[in-house]
């Protein structure tokens, strides 16, 4: 079954500390994975996709097929990074996105 | 730019009542979808559409109906509301060429409470 698991409901760190939001997936075939973010009072929006291998707002995520993981990392957290983060994968070729449970990142001053 | 517009933003229903959540987009997106967001469950796909006249079920379709008579609109109908349908509902759409790139554009959400 296709599944995305985010084991942490809440991750709380101090400003300047490194951040790693965990994401594990279950998918037969080559997965396409994404991270979405929802800031307070804003719409859910795409943060980054694994295929682009990009760094957005200092965040990166590497697909590890051996560990079936796609963890989101940032070396130095900022207060403005506080938000809800969702990991997601595409199912099939119809554009269906399957989301994980979400992790709330709280960056304390 | 309006983007994806959902109405109403808030609604309280009694068990057994029916209602329609409206979703409209002005970006000529062919792909549209409805998700519900529940604590600890993340976002779960209810129904989706890859174009006018075409709809299909997602993970949690029971209790919901959709139709896609135009490219712009994708209403979600609750025929007989139940407390288990208390949730925040999100409509999302995508460019035709982006269906497989994972870039969805979301509405602001509609918070529904069923008493």
């Amino acid at each position: 079954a296709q599944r995305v698991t985010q084991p942490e409901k809440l991750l709380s760190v101090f400003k300047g500390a490194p951040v790693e939001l965990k994401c594990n997936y279950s998918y037969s075939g080559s997965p396409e994975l994404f991270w979405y973010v929802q800031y307070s009072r804003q719409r859910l929006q795409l943060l980054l996709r694994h295929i682009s291998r990009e760094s957005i707002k200092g965040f990166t995520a590497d697909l590890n097929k051996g560990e079936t993981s796609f963890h989101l990392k940032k070396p130095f957290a900022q207060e403005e990074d506080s938000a809800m983060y969702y990991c997601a994968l595409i199912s099939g070729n119809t554009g269906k996105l399957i989301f994980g449970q979400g992790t709330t990142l709280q960056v304390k001053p | 730019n309006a983007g994806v517009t959902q109405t109403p933003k808030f609604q309280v229903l009694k068990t057994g009542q029916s209602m329609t959540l409206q979703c409209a987009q002005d970006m000529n997106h062919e792909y549209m979808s409805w998700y519900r967001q529940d604590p600890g469950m993340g976002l779960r796909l209810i129904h989706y559409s890859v174009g006018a006249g075409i709809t299909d079920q997602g993970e949690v379709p029971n209790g919901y109906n959709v139709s896609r008579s135009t490219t712009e609109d994708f209403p979600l109908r609750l025929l007989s509301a139940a407390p288990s349908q208390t949730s925040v509902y999100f409509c999302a759409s995508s460019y035709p060429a982006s269906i497989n790139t994972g870039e969805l554009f979301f509405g602001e959400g509609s918070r529904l409470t069923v008493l």
Side-chain angles (χ1 to χ4, degrees):
Chain A
Q2 298 153 358
R3 190 171 186 155
V4 177
T5 303
Q6 295 177 249
E8 303 144 326
K9 282 188 179 178
L10 172 67
L11 182 62
S12 186
V13 302
F14 285 102
K15 177 182 172 182
V19 169
E20 182 178 69
L21 297 164
K22 291 183 168 45
C23 172
N24 290 93
Y25 67 90
S26 173
Y27 187 78
S28 55
S30 294
E32 293 186 48
L33 287 146
F34 311 86
W35 277 98
Y36 272 76
V37 61
Q38 187 175 26
Y39 300 104
S40 178
R41 304 192 202 292
Q42 293 189 28
R43 302 178 187 221
L44 195 63
Q45 58 189 287
L46 179 66
L47 179 62
L48 56 80
R49 51 175 78 96
H50 93 270
I51 199 168
S52 302
R53 302 184 66 81
E54 56 202 344
S55 173
I56 303 292
K57 298 184 179 182
F59 284 98
T60 58
D62 290 320
L63 177 62
N64 185 324
K65 291 187 178 180
E67 295 183 358
T68 60
S69 68
F70 187 57
H71 303 329
L72 184 68
K73 300 176 184 178
K74 184 169 183 176
F76 308 103
Q78 303 299 314
E79 288 181 68
E80 55 265 30
D81 295 329
S82 294
M84 173 74 88
Y85 291 80
Y86 288 98
C87 184
L89 66 78
I90 277 197
S91 173
N93 59 2
T94 56
K96 291 192 296 183
L97 270 180
I98 295 174
F99 286 86
Q101 301 91 329
T103 299
T104 299
L105 175 63
Q106 182 184 68
V107 181
K108 297 177 285 189
Chain B
N1 292 335
V4 179
T5 303
Q6 290 182 233
T7 56
K9 286 187 171 50
F10 301 94
Q11 182 73 49
V12 178
L13 291 178
K14 293 181 180 177
T15 297
Q17 287 185 315
S18 62
M19 77 157 298
T20 299
L21 296 174
Q22 301 290 347
C23 176
Q25 52 87 12
D26 61 358
M27 298 175 281
N28 202 31
H29 287 175
E30 288 188 0
Y31 179 86
M32 296 185 74
S33 55
W34 277 102
Y35 286 86
R36 58 178 290 173
Q37 182 186 47
D38 301 292
M41 305 290 286
L43 288 157
R44 292 180 292 169
L45 182 64
I46 304 171
H47 285 284
Y48 67 99
S49 168
V50 298
I54 306 169
T55 64
D56 207 345
Q57 296 180 349
E59 303 170 69
V60 288
N62 292 341
Y64 307 94
N65 278 357
V66 292
S67 59
R68 186 88 182 273
S69 56
T70 67
T71 300
E72 293 79 18
D73 301 297
F74 191 45
L76 179 72
R77 297 184 187 85
L78 284 71
L79 301 177
S80 179
S84 61
Q85 293 178 303
T86 293
S87 187
V88 181
Y89 292 85
F90 288 96
C91 180
S93 68
S94 177
Y95 289 109
S98 299
I99 284 179
N100 292 320
T101 67
E103 185 165 14
L104 289 180
F105 293 82
F106 281 82
E108 292 181 299
S110 298
R111 185 175 294 274
L112 175 66
T113 302
V114 182
L115 303 175

